[in-house]
Amino acid sequence: MNRICNLFNIKYPIIQGGMVWCSGWKLASAVSNNGGLGLIGAGSMHPETLQEHIDKCKNATDKPFGVNIPLLYPEIDKIVDIVIDSGVKIVFTSAGNPKTWTNKFHEHGITVVHVVSSSKFAIKSEEAGVDAIVAEGFEAGGHNGREETTTMCLIPQIIKCISIPIIAAGGIASGESMLAAMALGADGVQMGTRFALTEESSADFCFKDRCLRLNEGDTELILKQITPVRVVKNQFYEQVKEAENRGASIDELREILGKGRSKKGIFEGDIFEGELEIGQIASSIHELDCVEDVMKEIIKSFNSELERVCKMGRL
Amino acid sequence: MNRICNLFNIKYPIIQGGMVWCSGWKLASAVSNNGGLGLIGAGSMHPETLQEHIDKCKNATDKPFGVNIPLLYPEIDKIVDIVIDSGVKIVFTSAGNPKTWTNKFHEHGITVVHVVSSSKFAIKSEEAGVDAIVAEGFEAGGHNGREETTTMCLIPQIIKCISIPIIAAGGIASGESMLAAMALGADGVQMGTRFALTEESSADFCFKDRCLRLNEGDTELILKQITPVRVVKNQFYEQVKEAENRGASIDELREILGKGRSKKGIFEGDIFEGELEIGQIASSIHELDCVEDVMKEIIKSFNSELERVCKMGRL
């Protein structure tokens, strides 16, 4: 039995990343209804909005689903209470110290997974008692590790350090890359970009449309002096790069970033001035499909690639 | 039959990267004698030095071997003549236009492989008539693509664009990552870092020793405004970063770089002031082994991982 399927009681070891502005109840319930694990992304929700999405998600699926909580969230206490009081049974935490909340979640019978981008934080997460980790590589969209370790390098190194299950993320959007991640030793995969660009994603159509037209090299990890984030190269990006290249101060960079840039880009669809967070692998996705079709395609290509690889035979 | 083994008439689809200051006749012949394809790295050799290494390599192995030629090499005509006149049958080209020399090599019965870091240049290489390509991801050591596409994202995208065989490179140093690359669709793999850190590599012991003690995050891709290069974070790196962060001009960056930095670091072993070119995956390598042991370990772990993956069964 696959350790990730076992941990969450799901059919396929495929997690939908709990992204800002993309991952509401529609997306999460669709992924869960199709045998994966859907996550509501609390990072872009007011507490009352999260409550609404949890309630709607419960009505939309009888399968397991979870909530992704960035631990640096300003109203973190409220968010934690809502999650516990609503009877959510799976929480993915990121951007913060997993020690702070893991015990409390466990006391309420909640499975906790922490997102990391290095072996060092994988070890700290295991020590904090989390049940599994997401190991996310440099190619992933949105906020990202400072060390720039790619999925191909990260997974085999983390596996040597910890014994809890590992979910690989970053650059995975197909059955082929899912199989590759599992060949590296991951127990399952988390896909963000793939599900951000589906019909059920709550991102604005203009954001999805822009991302579906990307070519290789059209995203870049920027703002490394503040918090590294992978975005589409647009006017906002150009403004940041121009400032970075002339050695602008952190204060000036913060001012250029301003507030609400990702909402502007992803949720309001301003593809010029918004922060369009998406992964490198977006350039391989060109059609806006529904979650059911995406899941079927992933499983089909995983199975056919597995068959091909097994036929290769030993060296 | 594996297309890469077929193309080069070798036992295992494992190519040793033809790196500057590491890949002399000792390393190349050792890899070839152990069933892979060894490459002499002409990039760091005067023409007469290359001649010597080709002659010695021929004496040291009766197996196929090749030469890696950076096409921007100042004495490229001399290098090409030496390769042709010496009866070398395999050439890997990089850093330049594959159209310029491919026909000439083909007229002399030489198999040509070009190194690329994007689908765009993979297509151009196929159009130029090369026999295979190396697709190298962001995590690779030394000089590297400007678009920063990682191996996990690059391989599946290139496969959709071309029909000639594909050798994956970047972040691959074990049987697990070799299997992952082949799950992504590659026909074979090229390993640079893994072989740079062997007994037979001509790099200085101090360079190897420093690289064998690296932790995750200890390399970075720098000098993107000149030619992107992945190096170990040392004093030279700090000097470059300080200049880059304050918006130094390209001229100033060139002056800091100076001439002979990679020789100083890799061949002369100045681990402080030299340019220490190595891949991200170096942090997973801690022992200085001989090529025979490295090859055996790769094949053993590939086979055991293949068995494990095939036992997972279909989704």
Side-chain angles (χ1 to χ4, degrees), chain A residues 11-14 117-120 138-139 146-154 156-158 160-161 170-172 174 176-186 215-217 219-221 224-225 230 233 244-248 280-285 298-299 302-315, chain B residues 11-14 117-120 138-139 146-154 156-158 160-161 170-172 174 176-186 215-217 219-221 224-225 230 233 244-248 280-285 298-299 302-315:
Chain A
K11 190 171 177 194
Y12 306 117
I14 300 170
S117 59
S118 71
S119 294
K120 189 177 156 191
F138 166 82
E139 48 274 80
R146 210 165 280 280
E147 296 184 347
E148 306 191 354
T149 308
T150 71
T151 303
M152 187 71 101
C153 292
L154 188 62
Q157 296 193 77
I158 287 189
K160 289 181 195 160
C161 303
I172 305 167
S174 66
E176 290 85 342
S177 43
M178 180 175 172
L179 181 63
M182 292 176 86
L184 292 173
N215 292 313
E216 269 174 45
T219 71
E220 192 178 319
L221 195 71
K224 293 177 195 179
Q225 290 180 81
R230 179 171 297 283
K233 294 176 178 174
E244 288 185 337
N245 286 340
R246 65 174 153 78
Q280 267 191 358
I281 200 63
S283 59
S284 73
I285 306 168
I298 293 167
I299 290 150
F302 178 93
N303 286 334
S304 66
E305 279 300 292
L306 179 65
E307 199 177 327
R308 183 185 66 76
V309 164
C310 294
K311 272 189 193 159
M312 284 188 328
R314 292 161 60 90
L315 284 181
Chain B
K11 191 171 177 193
Y12 306 117
I14 299 170
S117 58
S118 70
S119 294
K120 188 177 157 191
F138 165 83
E139 47 273 81
R146 210 165 280 280
E147 296 183 348
E148 307 193 353
T149 308
T150 71
T151 302
M152 187 71 101
C153 291
L154 188 62
Q157 296 193 78
I158 287 189
K160 289 183 195 159
C161 304
I172 305 167
S174 65
E176 290 86 343
S177 43
M178 179 175 172
L179 181 62
M182 293 175 86
L184 292 173
N215 293 312
E216 269 175 45
T219 72
E220 192 178 319
L221 195 71
K224 293 178 193 177
Q225 290 181 80
R230 178 172 298 284
K233 294 177 177 173
E244 287 184 339
N245 287 340
R246 67 174 153 75
Q280 266 190 0
I281 201 64
S283 58
S284 73
I285 305 167
I298 293 166
I299 290 150
F302 179 93
N303 286 334
S304 65
E305 280 298 293
L306 180 65
E307 198 177 329
R308 183 184 66 76
V309 164
C310 294
K311 273 189 192 157
M312 283 187 330
R314 293 161 59 90
L315 284 181

Side-chain angles (χ1 to χ4, degrees), chain A residues 3-119:
Chain A
R3 292 202 292 174
I4 289 298
C5 292
N6 214 22
L7 183 64
F8 301 129
N9 193 26
I10 53 177
K11 190 171 177 194
Y12 306 117
I14 300 170
I15 322 296
Q16 160 249 314
M19 302 159 284
V20 291
W21 306 114
C22 296
S23 316
W25 69 272
K26 273 190 195 164
L27 180 59
S29 62
V31 173
S32 291
N33 280 333
N34 282 283
L37 180 72
L39 297 181
I40 295 170
S44 54
M45 295 180 182
H46 291 293
E48 59 272 27
T49 313
L50 176 62
Q51 184 69 66
E52 187 190 328
H53 279 269
I54 291 172
D55 294 343
K56 286 188 175 165
C57 201
K58 278 187 189 173
N59 281 331
T61 183
D62 55 2
K63 298 286 200 302
F65 70 92
V67 175
N68 180 291
I69 308 175
L71 295 176
L72 300 174
Y73 190 94
E75 297 180 282
I76 180 76
D77 297 83
K78 274 194 198 170
I79 291 284
V80 169
D81 286 344
I82 286 172
V83 164
I84 291 172
D85 295 344
S86 306
V88 169
K89 287 297 163 209
I90 299 166
V91 163
F92 280 48
T93 57
S94 58
N97 188 343
K99 274 192 185 169
T100 321
W101 295 101
T102 299
N103 282 346
K104 179 158 182 179
F105 286 132
H106 277 169
E107 283 163 16
H108 292 86
I110 296 171
T111 300
V112 182
V113 180
H114 193 64
V115 183
V116 302
S117 59
S118 71
S119 294

